[in-house]
């Protein structure tokens, strides 16, 4: 009787050992799978970080270009204002010159009339 009880216990122990072995393999597989997934996750995070850095650099470049354009537009506007101001000054000078020429012509005509009067 005792021998059969021992055989049952031995077979249960063997079954338990096999179960433990299978469980250990499954746990190892899960660990390996988790490690792969973590590694992939880390790679994805790294790639995302690189992409964000790249985007930040592009934004900085664009910002610099906008600043240059704004500065150039400001200079252009200043140039246009200066041109307008000098045009206004030129117009004023031309008008003054015109008045002088008119006065000179009137004086010249007046003088020629006096000369004609004396001759006559």
């Amino acid at each position: 009787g005792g021998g059969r009880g021992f055989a049952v216990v031995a077979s249960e122990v063997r079954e338990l050992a096999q179960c433990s072995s299978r469980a250990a393999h499954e746990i190892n597989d899960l660990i390996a799978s988790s490690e792969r997934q973590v590694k992939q996750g880390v790679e994805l995070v790294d790639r995302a970080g690189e992409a964000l850095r790249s985007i930040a650099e592009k934004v900085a470049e664009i910002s610099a270009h906008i600043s240059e354009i704004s500065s150039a537009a400001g200079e252009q506007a200043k140039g246009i204002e200066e041109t307008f101001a000098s045009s206004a000054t030129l117009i004023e000078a031309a008008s003054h010159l015109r008045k002088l020429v008119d006065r000179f012509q009137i004086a010249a005509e007046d003088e020629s009339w006096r000369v004609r009067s004396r001759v006559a």
Side-chain angles (χ1 to χ4, degrees), residues 86-97:
S86 42
S87 297
T89 307
L90 274 173
I91 290 164
E92 207 177 303
S95 170
H96 185 62
L97 191 62

Side-chain angles (χ1 to χ4, degrees), residues 6-28:
F6 179 77
V8 168
V9 170
S11 121
E12 280 179 4
V13 166
R14 207 168 29 253
E15 215 176 293
L16 188 62
Q18 283 171 349
C19 263
S20 295
S21 177
R22 275 199 305 275
H25 279 301
E26 280 175 25
I27 288 167
N28 277 338

Side-chain angles (χ1 to χ4, degrees), residues 71-88:
S71 171
E75 282 172 29
Q76 230 174 7
K78 193 176 163 203
I80 289 166
E81 276 175 27
E82 284 170 6
T83 304
F84 182 73
S86 42
S87 297

Side-chain angles (χ1 to χ4, degrees), residues 36-50:
R36 276 197 304 275
Q37 285 174 354
V38 166
K39 198 175 166 193
Q40 282 174 345
V42 167
E43 282 171 15
L44 285 172
V45 167
D46 282 348
R47 275 200 299 211
E50 282 169 28

